[in-house]
Amino acid sequence: MTDQYVPPKVWTHDAESGGRWASVNRPVSGATHEQALPVGEHDLQLYSIATPNGQKVTIMLEELLALGKAAEYDAHMIQIGEGDQFGPGFVDVNPNSKIPALVDRSGEDNESVFESASILVHLAEKFGVLLPEKGSARTQVFNWLFWLHGSAPYLGGGFGHFYAYAPEKFEYAINRFTMETKRQLDVLDKQLANNEFLAGDEYSIADIATWPWYGNLVVGTQYDAQEFLQVDDYPHVQRWANAILARPAVQRGRIVNRTWGEAWEQLANRHTAQDIDDVLALKPE
C-alpha cells in the first residue's frame, strides 16, 4: 500500500481536511461569538435544525399536539453550518453545542434539556404518553431507545459521513460502516418481523427516535443510498418506515426547522400550527 497515513506523535488540528463541516468542527467547546437566542411565547422553546436528531423532537411535539396535549411550542432554527450553536445563549442551554436543545418554561424555573433522548423522555413523562409508566413495556422502550443512541452514530458519523460528506471516498471506511449499517438494519428487520413497532404493539418514543435515522434511510430521504445498501432486503423495516411516514404528526414534524428540499418541506421557524399548515398546503395534489 502506498501513501499510507502514519499518525504523528502529537495530533494537531487541520481544519482544511474536515470536509463539509470543517468550518464549524473544532477540538474545543464553549462559545465563540455573541449571539442571543430568540424566545417565543410558548412554554416550550426548541432550538434545532431538521437533521435526524432534530426531527425526533419536532415529530414528538407534533405527536403530543395530535393527542390533544398542551404542547404548543416555538421552534427556532439553529444554522449549524454557520455556527449558531456556538453562541453563548445556545451554550447556556447545551454546553455540548449540539442540536436539539429545549427550554421548558412551564415550571417556577426554566429547565434546559439537551440530548434528544433526554428531551423525548422529558416530554413523554411531562405529558404521560408514548412511554409506559412501569414494567416490562417501559423497559422494552428504553432498550430500543438506547439501542438507537448507541447505533445511530455508526450510521450518521460513520456511514453517512464517509459515503456522503467526506472530501474523498475511502474504501476502507465506507466498507467498515456499510457493514455495520447493514447489520443494524438486519437487527431492526428481525425485531419488526414479530412486532408492529420497535418495542412491541404500541408506538412509542423508541419509534420516534429511530425513524428519523433508519426510516429516512430506507425511504430514500437520507444519503440517497437505498440501492447501495439494498434496503429492499429489509421488508419489515420498509413496512415500519412507511407506516410511520404516513402519520400526520410525522409529516408535520419532519419539515420544522428545515430549509432544503421541496417548498412544501421547508419551514425555518415554527410558532403556530398554521405555520405548518401553510407550508404543507404548497404540496401539489
Side-chain angles (χ1 to χ4, degrees):
M1 182 181 294
T2 60
D3 298 325
Q4 182 173 352
Y5 172 68
V6 178
K9 290 185 177 181
V10 177
W11 180 84
T12 58
H13 181 211
D14 178 9
E16 295 303 316
S17 68
R20 177 174 173 178
W21 303 106
S23 64
V24 294
N25 287 336
R26 57 199 180 96
V28 295
S29 64
T32 62
H33 60 278
E34 291 298 322
Q35 184 174 352
L37 285 179
V39 179
E41 66 179 41
H42 301 300
D43 286 340
L44 299 174
Q45 299 292 303
L46 177 66
Y47 302 95
S48 191
I49 188 173
T51 63
N53 285 334
Q55 286 183 331
K56 296 174 191 177
V57 180
T58 49
I59 288 171
M60 177 68 172
L61 289 164
E62 290 298 322
E63 292 283 10
L64 291 171
L65 291 171
L67 290 168
K69 302 300 180 180
E72 274 294 347
Y73 67 101
D74 295 282
H76 309 280
M77 181 78 163
I78 297 295
Q79 294 280 10
I80 59 176
E82 298 177 10
D84 290 353
Q85 68 273 33
F86 299 118
F90 191 93
V91 172
D92 285 346
V93 178
N94 183 0
N96 197 38
S97 293
K98 302 289 185 181
I99 64 91
L102 179 76
V103 177
D104 185 345
R105 307 188 301 172
S106 62
E108 291 186 6
D109 298 310
N110 291 350
E111 177 120 44
S112 297
V113 193
F114 63 91
E115 290 297 327
S116 56
S118 180
I119 296 173
L120 293 181
V121 172
H122 175 82
L123 292 172
E125 292 187 334
K126 177 183 180 72
F127 293 103
V129 292
L130 299 169
L131 174 63
E133 292 185 2
K134 59 184 179 180
S136 177
R138 182 180 178 89
T139 299
Q140 291 306 311
V141 170
F142 279 135
N143 283 345
W144 286 100
L145 178 65
F146 296 145
W147 175 89
L148 178 278
H149 282 268
S151 298
Y154 290 96
L155 171 56
F159 174 78
H161 177 78
F162 287 106
Y163 182 80
Y165 301 136
E168 297 180 51
K169 303 298 184 187
F170 299 101
E171 181 180 5
Y172 175 83
I174 291 174
N175 285 343
R176 169 67 182 88
F177 289 110
T178 297
M179 178 176 65
E180 176 60 15
T181 297
K182 288 180 70 66
R183 189 195 69 82
Q184 293 172 359
L185 288 169
D186 191 55
V187 170
L188 290 173
D189 202 61
K190 288 172 178 172
Q191 174 67 7
L192 291 164
N194 299 308
N195 298 277
E196 183 175 2
F197 298 105
L198 279 179
D201 295 331
E202 300 294 329
Y203 182 63
S204 73
I205 58 172
D207 301 287
I208 292 172
T210 304
W211 185 88
W213 282 108
Y214 297 88
N216 273 323
L217 182 71
V218 301
V219 302
T221 50
Q222 185 79 359
Y223 304 136
D224 192 23
Q226 312 98 290
E227 181 178 7
F228 181 76
L229 293 171
Q230 297 174 293
V231 298
D232 289 341
D233 290 349
Y234 311 102
H236 305 295
V237 179
Q238 292 271 6
R239 185 268 306 163
W240 166 85
N242 284 291
I244 291 180
L245 179 58
R247 296 177 68 90
V250 174
Q251 295 178 31
R252 296 175 68 83
R254 65 181 290 273
I255 73 170
V256 176
N257 297 142
R258 181 181 170 113
T259 56
W260 61 91
E262 303 289 352
W264 57 88
E265 298 177 312
Q266 298 187 40
L267 178 61
N269 300 288
R270 185 267 189 209
H271 303 291
T272 69
Q274 190 63 48
D275 293 336
I276 299 178
D277 294 342
D278 291 344
V279 172
L280 292 177
L282 299 174
K283 187 174 183 178
E285 295 294 335

mmCIF file of all heavy atoms in Angstrom, residues 163-195:
data_model
loop_
_atom_site.group_PDB
_atom_site.id
_atom_site.type_symbol
_atom_site.label_atom_id
_atom_site.label_comp_id
_atom_site.label_asym_id
_atom_site.label_seq_id
_atom_site.Cartn_x
_atom_site.Cartn_y
_atom_site.Cartn_z
ATOM 1 N N TYR A 163 -19.716 8.112 3.259
ATOM 2 C CA TYR A 163 -20.390 7.856 1.987
ATOM 3 C C TYR A 163 -20.844 9.150 1.317
ATOM 4 O O TYR A 163 -20.767 9.280 0.095
ATOM 5 C CB TYR A 163 -21.593 6.942 2.216
ATOM 6 C CG TYR A 163 -22.337 6.565 0.953
ATOM 7 C CD1 TYR A 163 -21.870 5.561 0.117
ATOM 8 C CD2 TYR A 163 -23.526 7.213 0.607
ATOM 9 C CE1 TYR A 163 -22.552 5.206 -1.046
ATOM 10 C CE2 TYR A 163 -24.215 6.878 -0.556
ATOM 11 C CZ TYR A 163 -23.728 5.872 -1.373
ATOM 12 O OH TYR A 163 -24.409 5.538 -2.523
ATOM 13 N N ALA A 164 -21.319 10.115 2.116
ATOM 14 C CA ALA A 164 -21.960 11.292 1.532
ATOM 15 C C ALA A 164 -21.191 12.599 1.714
ATOM 16 O O ALA A 164 -21.310 13.488 0.867
ATOM 17 C CB ALA A 164 -23.368 11.452 2.124
ATOM 18 N N TYR A 165 -20.429 12.758 2.782
ATOM 19 C CA TYR A 165 -19.905 14.078 3.121
ATOM 20 C C TYR A 165 -18.382 14.217 3.088
ATOM 21 O O TYR A 165 -17.876 15.331 2.975
ATOM 22 C CB TYR A 165 -20.385 14.485 4.520
ATOM 23 C CG TYR A 165 -21.878 14.547 4.665
ATOM 24 C CD1 TYR A 165 -22.501 14.008 5.784
ATOM 25 C CD2 TYR A 165 -22.670 15.137 3.687
ATOM 26 C CE1 TYR A 165 -23.892 14.058 5.922
ATOM 27 C CE2 TYR A 165 -24.051 15.181 3.815
ATOM 28 C CZ TYR A 165 -24.654 14.642 4.933
ATOM 29 O OH TYR A 165 -26.014 14.687 5.067
ATOM 30 N N ALA A 166 -17.650 13.152 3.242
ATOM 31 C CA ALA A 166 -16.189 13.258 3.313
ATOM 32 C C ALA A 166 -15.625 13.855 2.020
ATOM 33 O O ALA A 166 -16.177 13.629 0.938
ATOM 34 C CB ALA A 166 -15.571 11.885 3.566
ATOM 35 N N PRO A 167 -14.541 14.623 2.109
ATOM 36 C CA PRO A 167 -13.987 15.250 0.902
ATOM 37 C C PRO A 167 -13.437 14.244 -0.098
ATOM 38 O O PRO A 167 -13.295 14.551 -1.272
ATOM 39 C CB PRO A 167 -12.877 16.154 1.455
ATOM 40 C CG PRO A 167 -12.536 15.586 2.784
ATOM 41 C CD PRO A 167 -13.809 15.011 3.318
ATOM 42 N N GLU A 168 -13.106 13.030 0.358
ATOM 43 C CA GLU A 168 -12.655 11.963 -0.529
ATOM 44 C C GLU A 168 -13.372 10.677 -0.142
ATOM 45 O O GLU A 168 -13.824 10.518 0.999
ATOM 46 C CB GLU A 168 -11.143 11.749 -0.408
ATOM 47 C CG GLU A 168 -10.289 12.928 -0.817
ATOM 48 C CD GLU A 168 -8.813 12.622 -0.650
ATOM 49 O OE1 GLU A 168 -8.360 11.564 -1.150
ATOM 50 O OE2 GLU A 168 -8.127 13.426 0.001
ATOM 51 N N LYS A 169 -13.499 9.738 -1.094
ATOM 52 C CA LYS A 169 -14.089 8.435 -0.823
ATOM 53 C C LYS A 169 -12.988 7.480 -0.384
ATOM 54 O O LYS A 169 -12.015 7.252 -1.117
ATOM 55 C CB LYS A 169 -14.788 7.874 -2.068
ATOM 56 C CG LYS A 169 -15.867 8.782 -2.634
ATOM 57 C CD LYS A 169 -17.005 9.015 -1.653
ATOM 58 C CE LYS A 169 -18.103 9.851 -2.283
ATOM 59 N NZ LYS A 169 -19.148 10.249 -1.335
ATOM 60 N N PHE A 170 -13.130 6.933 0.812
ATOM 61 C CA PHE A 170 -12.154 5.994 1.350
ATOM 62 C C PHE A 170 -12.800 4.615 1.430
ATOM 63 O O PHE A 170 -13.754 4.406 2.184
ATOM 64 C CB PHE A 170 -11.685 6.440 2.740
ATOM 65 C CG PHE A 170 -11.012 7.791 2.736
ATOM 66 C CD1 PHE A 170 -11.702 8.924 3.144
ATOM 67 C CD2 PHE A 170 -9.701 7.924 2.321
ATOM 68 C CE1 PHE A 170 -11.095 10.166 3.141
ATOM 69 C CE2 PHE A 170 -9.075 9.167 2.316
ATOM 70 C CZ PHE A 170 -9.776 10.297 2.720
ATOM 71 N N GLU A 171 -12.279 3.678 0.658
ATOM 72 C CA GLU A 171 -12.898 2.358 0.563
ATOM 73 C C GLU A 171 -12.988 1.667 1.918
ATOM 74 O O GLU A 171 -14.022 1.102 2.267
ATOM 75 C CB GLU A 171 -12.110 1.480 -0.420
ATOM 76 C CG GLU A 171 -12.719 0.088 -0.596
ATOM 77 C CD GLU A 171 -11.926 -0.770 -1.571
ATOM 78 O OE1 GLU A 171 -10.860 -0.318 -2.031
ATOM 79 O OE2 GLU A 171 -12.377 -1.897 -1.868
ATOM 80 N N TYR A 172 -11.909 1.704 2.683
ATOM 81 C CA TYR A 172 -11.920 1.015 3.971
ATOM 82 C C TYR A 172 -13.024 1.561 4.873
ATOM 83 O O TYR A 172 -13.793 0.792 5.467
ATOM 84 C CB TYR A 172 -10.572 1.139 4.675
ATOM 85 C CG TYR A 172 -10.590 0.532 6.058
ATOM 86 C CD1 TYR A 172 -10.413 -0.834 6.238
ATOM 87 C CD2 TYR A 172 -10.837 1.327 7.179
ATOM 88 C CE1 TYR A 172 -10.472 -1.398 7.511
ATOM 89 C CE2 TYR A 172 -10.892 0.774 8.448
ATOM 90 C CZ TYR A 172 -10.713 -0.591 8.614
ATOM 91 O OH TYR A 172 -10.782 -1.145 9.868
ATOM 92 N N ALA A 173 -13.111 2.881 4.997
ATOM 93 C CA ALA A 173 -14.105 3.483 5.883
ATOM 94 C C ALA A 173 -15.524 3.203 5.407
ATOM 95 O O ALA A 173 -16.411 2.872 6.210
ATOM 96 C CB ALA A 173 -13.867 4.988 5.980
ATOM 97 N N ILE A 174 -15.771 3.328 4.103
ATOM 98 C CA ILE A 174 -17.117 3.070 3.583
ATOM 99 C C ILE A 174 -17.489 1.611 3.794
ATOM 100 O O ILE A 174 -18.609 1.295 4.227
ATOM 101 C CB ILE A 174 -17.207 3.478 2.101
ATOM 102 C CG1 ILE A 174 -17.122 5.002 1.975
ATOM 103 C CG2 ILE A 174 -18.501 2.962 1.469
ATOM 104 C CD1 ILE A 174 -17.050 5.506 0.549
ATOM 105 N N ASN A 175 -16.569 0.689 3.512
ATOM 106 C CA ASN A 175 -16.864 -0.726 3.720
ATOM 107 C C ASN A 175 -17.128 -1.033 5.186
ATOM 108 O O ASN A 175 -18.046 -1.799 5.528
ATOM 109 C CB ASN A 175 -15.714 -1.590 3.210
ATOM 110 C CG ASN A 175 -15.679 -1.680 1.696
ATOM 111 O OD1 ASN A 175 -16.656 -1.368 1.027
ATOM 112 N ND2 ASN A 175 -14.549 -2.113 1.150
ATOM 113 N N ARG A 176 -16.326 -0.451 6.062
ATOM 114 C CA ARG A 176 -16.483 -0.712 7.506
ATOM 115 C C ARG A 176 -17.846 -0.274 7.996
ATOM 116 O O ARG A 176 -18.549 -1.030 8.690
ATOM 117 C CB ARG A 176 -15.381 0.029 8.275
ATOM 118 C CG ARG A 176 -15.557 0.061 9.791
ATOM 119 C CD ARG A 176 -15.422 -1.328 10.398
ATOM 120 N NE ARG A 176 -15.629 -1.297 11.840
ATOM 121 C CZ ARG A 176 -16.810 -1.403 12.437
ATOM 122 N NH1 ARG A 176 -17.920 -1.535 11.710
ATOM 123 N NH2 ARG A 176 -16.900 -1.384 13.758
ATOM 124 N N PHE A 177 -18.255 0.931 7.639
ATOM 125 C CA PHE A 177 -19.511 1.436 8.183
ATOM 126 C C PHE A 177 -20.723 0.947 7.397
ATOM 127 O O PHE A 177 -21.826 0.903 7.936
ATOM 128 C CB PHE A 177 -19.458 2.960 8.269
ATOM 129 C CG PHE A 177 -18.521 3.443 9.336
ATOM 130 C CD1 PHE A 177 -17.325 4.077 9.015
ATOM 131 C CD2 PHE A 177 -18.805 3.228 10.669
ATOM 132 C CE1 PHE A 177 -16.450 4.498 9.997
ATOM 133 C CE2 PHE A 177 -17.940 3.646 11.668
ATOM 134 C CZ PHE A 177 -16.759 4.278 11.333
ATOM 135 N N THR A 178 -20.540 0.559 6.131
ATOM 136 C CA THR A 178 -21.632 -0.081 5.401
ATOM 137 C C THR A 178 -21.968 -1.421 6.039
ATOM 138 O O THR A 178 -23.147 -1.760 6.227
ATOM 139 C CB THR A 178 -21.258 -0.276 3.926
ATOM 140 O OG1 THR A 178 -21.060 1.004 3.323
ATOM 141 C CG2 THR A 178 -22.353 -1.007 3.167
ATOM 142 N N MET A 179 -20.960 -2.200 6.366
ATOM 143 C CA MET A 179 -21.193 -3.485 7.021
ATOM 144 C C MET A 179 -21.971 -3.299 8.325
ATOM 145 O O MET A 179 -22.937 -4.021 8.600
ATOM 146 C CB MET A 179 -19.860 -4.178 7.305
ATOM 147 C CG MET A 179 -20.004 -5.515 8.031
ATOM 148 S SD MET A 179 -18.422 -6.364 8.246
ATOM 149 C CE MET A 179 -17.569 -5.215 9.342
ATOM 150 N N GLU A 180 -21.584 -2.315 9.117
ATOM 151 C CA GLU A 180 -22.269 -2.101 10.388
ATOM 152 C C GLU A 180 -23.691 -1.592 10.176
ATOM 153 O O GLU A 180 -24.619 -1.998 10.881
ATOM 154 C CB GLU A 180 -21.479 -1.128 11.264
ATOM 155 C CG GLU A 180 -22.149 -0.760 12.570
ATOM 156 C CD GLU A 180 -22.418 -1.945 13.501
ATOM 157 O OE1 GLU A 180 -21.853 -3.037 13.293
ATOM 158 O OE2 GLU A 180 -23.208 -1.767 14.446
ATOM 159 N N THR A 181 -23.890 -0.709 9.203
ATOM 160 C CA THR A 181 -25.234 -0.212 8.928
ATOM 161 C C THR A 181 -26.148 -1.335 8.483
ATOM 162 O O THR A 181 -27.309 -1.433 8.927
ATOM 163 C CB THR A 181 -25.172 0.897 7.858
ATOM 164 O OG1 THR A 181 -24.424 2.001 8.366
ATOM 165 C CG2 THR A 181 -26.570 1.369 7.468
ATOM 166 N N LYS A 182 -25.666 -2.222 7.635
ATOM 167 C CA LYS A 182 -26.486 -3.341 7.182
ATOM 168 C C LYS A 182 -26.760 -4.309 8.335
ATOM 169 O O LYS A 182 -27.856 -4.884 8.433
ATOM 170 C CB LYS A 182 -25.823 -4.056 6.005
ATOM 171 C CG LYS A 182 -25.878 -3.228 4.714
ATOM 172 C CD LYS A 182 -25.232 -3.926 3.536
ATOM 173 C CE LYS A 182 -26.045 -5.116 3.068
ATOM 174 N NZ LYS A 182 -27.359 -4.742 2.501
ATOM 175 N N ARG A 183 -25.808 -4.492 9.212
ATOM 176 C CA ARG A 183 -26.055 -5.325 10.388
ATOM 177 C C ARG A 183 -27.159 -4.728 11.253
ATOM 178 O O ARG A 183 -28.061 -5.434 11.741
ATOM 179 C CB ARG A 183 -24.763 -5.483 11.201
ATOM 180 C CG ARG A 183 -24.871 -6.516 12.339
ATOM 181 C CD ARG A 183 -23.726 -6.381 13.322
ATOM 182 N NE ARG A 183 -23.836 -5.149 14.084
ATOM 183 C CZ ARG A 183 -24.628 -5.016 15.161
ATOM 184 N NH1 ARG A 183 -25.375 -6.030 15.582
ATOM 185 N NH2 ARG A 183 -24.663 -3.875 15.809
ATOM 186 N N GLN A 184 -27.121 -3.399 11.434
ATOM 187 C CA GLN A 184 -28.155 -2.740 12.221
ATOM 188 C C GLN A 184 -29.522 -2.855 11.551
ATOM 189 O O GLN A 184 -30.538 -3.085 12.236
ATOM 190 C CB GLN A 184 -27.786 -1.268 12.425
ATOM 191 C CG GLN A 184 -26.563 -1.058 13.297
ATOM 192 C CD GLN A 184 -26.113 0.382 13.323
ATOM 193 O OE1 GLN A 184 -26.703 1.252 12.671
ATOM 194 N NE2 GLN A 184 -25.051 0.661 14.066
ATOM 195 N N LEU A 185 -29.573 -2.688 10.239
ATOM 196 C CA LEU A 185 -30.843 -2.862 9.527
ATOM 197 C C LEU A 185 -31.375 -4.279 9.694
ATOM 198 O O LEU A 185 -32.590 -4.488 9.805
ATOM 199 C CB LEU A 185 -30.663 -2.524 8.044
ATOM 200 C CG LEU A 185 -30.489 -1.042 7.712
ATOM 201 C CD1 LEU A 185 -30.044 -0.860 6.263
ATOM 202 C CD2 LEU A 185 -31.795 -0.273 7.958
ATOM 203 N N ASP A 186 -30.484 -5.254 9.733
ATOM 204 C CA ASP A 186 -30.902 -6.638 9.946
ATOM 205 C C ASP A 186 -31.452 -6.828 11.356
ATOM 206 O O ASP A 186 -32.442 -7.550 11.561
ATOM 207 C CB ASP A 186 -29.724 -7.573 9.687
ATOM 208 C CG ASP A 186 -30.144 -9.028 9.616
ATOM 209 O OD1 ASP A 186 -31.043 -9.354 8.801
ATOM 210 O OD2 ASP A 186 -29.591 -9.858 10.362
ATOM 211 N N VAL A 187 -30.825 -6.197 12.341
ATOM 212 C CA VAL A 187 -31.346 -6.239 13.716
ATOM 213 C C VAL A 187 -32.769 -5.683 13.752
ATOM 214 O O VAL A 187 -33.686 -6.292 14.330
ATOM 215 C CB VAL A 187 -30.432 -5.444 14.670
ATOM 216 C CG1 VAL A 187 -31.090 -5.267 16.035
ATOM 217 C CG2 VAL A 187 -29.077 -6.128 14.825
ATOM 218 N N LEU A 188 -32.959 -4.517 13.141
ATOM 219 C CA LEU A 188 -34.289 -3.905 13.115
ATOM 220 C C LEU A 188 -35.286 -4.781 12.366
ATOM 221 O O LEU A 188 -36.432 -4.948 12.807
ATOM 222 C CB LEU A 188 -34.218 -2.529 12.453
ATOM 223 C CG LEU A 188 -33.507 -1.423 13.222
ATOM 224 C CD1 LEU A 188 -33.371 -0.183 12.356
ATOM 225 C CD2 LEU A 188 -34.266 -1.091 14.502
ATOM 226 N N ASP A 189 -34.877 -5.350 11.242
ATOM 227 C CA ASP A 189 -35.788 -6.151 10.435
ATOM 228 C C ASP A 189 -36.274 -7.370 11.213
ATOM 229 O O ASP A 189 -37.463 -7.717 11.164
ATOM 230 C CB ASP A 189 -35.094 -6.580 9.146
ATOM 231 C CG ASP A 189 -36.081 -6.928 8.050
ATOM 232 O OD1 ASP A 189 -36.855 -6.039 7.652
ATOM 233 O OD2 ASP A 189 -36.082 -8.090 7.602
ATOM 234 N N LYS A 190 -35.392 -8.007 11.931
ATOM 235 C CA LYS A 190 -35.786 -9.181 12.713
ATOM 236 C C LYS A 190 -36.692 -8.795 13.877
ATOM 237 O O LYS A 190 -37.644 -9.523 14.201
ATOM 238 C CB LYS A 190 -34.533 -9.910 13.202
ATOM 239 C CG LYS A 190 -33.814 -10.634 12.070
ATOM 240 C CD LYS A 190 -32.474 -11.203 12.500
ATOM 241 C CE LYS A 190 -31.838 -11.967 11.331
ATOM 242 N NZ LYS A 190 -30.455 -12.392 11.613
ATOM 243 N N GLN A 191 -36.438 -7.667 14.503
ATOM 244 C CA GLN A 191 -37.320 -7.209 15.580
ATOM 245 C C GLN A 191 -38.703 -6.861 15.049
ATOM 246 O O GLN A 191 -39.733 -7.202 15.643
ATOM 247 C CB GLN A 191 -36.710 -5.999 16.284
ATOM 248 C CG GLN A 191 -37.588 -5.328 17.322
ATOM 249 C CD GLN A 191 -37.849 -6.188 18.553
ATOM 250 O OE1 GLN A 191 -37.274 -7.265 18.706
ATOM 251 N NE2 GLN A 191 -38.717 -5.716 19.438
ATOM 252 N N LEU A 192 -38.751 -6.201 13.910
ATOM 253 C CA LEU A 192 -40.026 -5.752 13.344
ATOM 254 C C LEU A 192 -40.775 -6.863 12.618
ATOM 255 O O LEU A 192 -41.951 -6.701 12.284
ATOM 256 C CB LEU A 192 -39.784 -4.568 12.414
ATOM 257 C CG LEU A 192 -39.350 -3.291 13.134
ATOM 258 C CD1 LEU A 192 -38.765 -2.280 12.157
ATOM 259 C CD2 LEU A 192 -40.524 -2.681 13.902
ATOM 260 N N ALA A 193 -40.143 -7.994 12.407
ATOM 261 C CA ALA A 193 -40.845 -9.139 11.809
ATOM 262 C C ALA A 193 -41.938 -9.650 12.734
ATOM 263 O O ALA A 193 -42.956 -10.179 12.268
ATOM 264 C CB ALA A 193 -39.852 -10.253 11.497
ATOM 265 N N ASN A 194 -41.748 -9.481 14.030
ATOM 266 C CA ASN A 194 -42.701 -10.013 15.009
ATOM 267 C C ASN A 194 -43.346 -8.940 15.862
ATOM 268 O O ASN A 194 -44.040 -9.256 16.831
ATOM 269 C CB ASN A 194 -41.983 -11.020 15.920
ATOM 270 C CG ASN A 194 -41.416 -12.193 15.147
ATOM 271 O OD1 ASN A 194 -42.116 -12.836 14.379
ATOM 272 N ND2 ASN A 194 -40.121 -12.452 15.327
ATOM 273 N N ASN A 195 -43.091 -7.680 15.535
ATOM 274 C CA ASN A 195 -43.637 -6.573 16.313
ATOM 275 C C ASN A 195 -44.055 -5.457 15.372
ATOM 276 O O ASN A 195 -43.317 -5.126 14.447
ATOM 277 C CB ASN A 195 -42.588 -6.032 17.292
ATOM 278 C CG ASN A 195 -42.150 -7.055 18.314
ATOM 279 O OD1 ASN A 195 -42.805 -7.257 19.334
ATOM 280 N ND2 ASN A 195 -41.040 -7.735 18.032
#
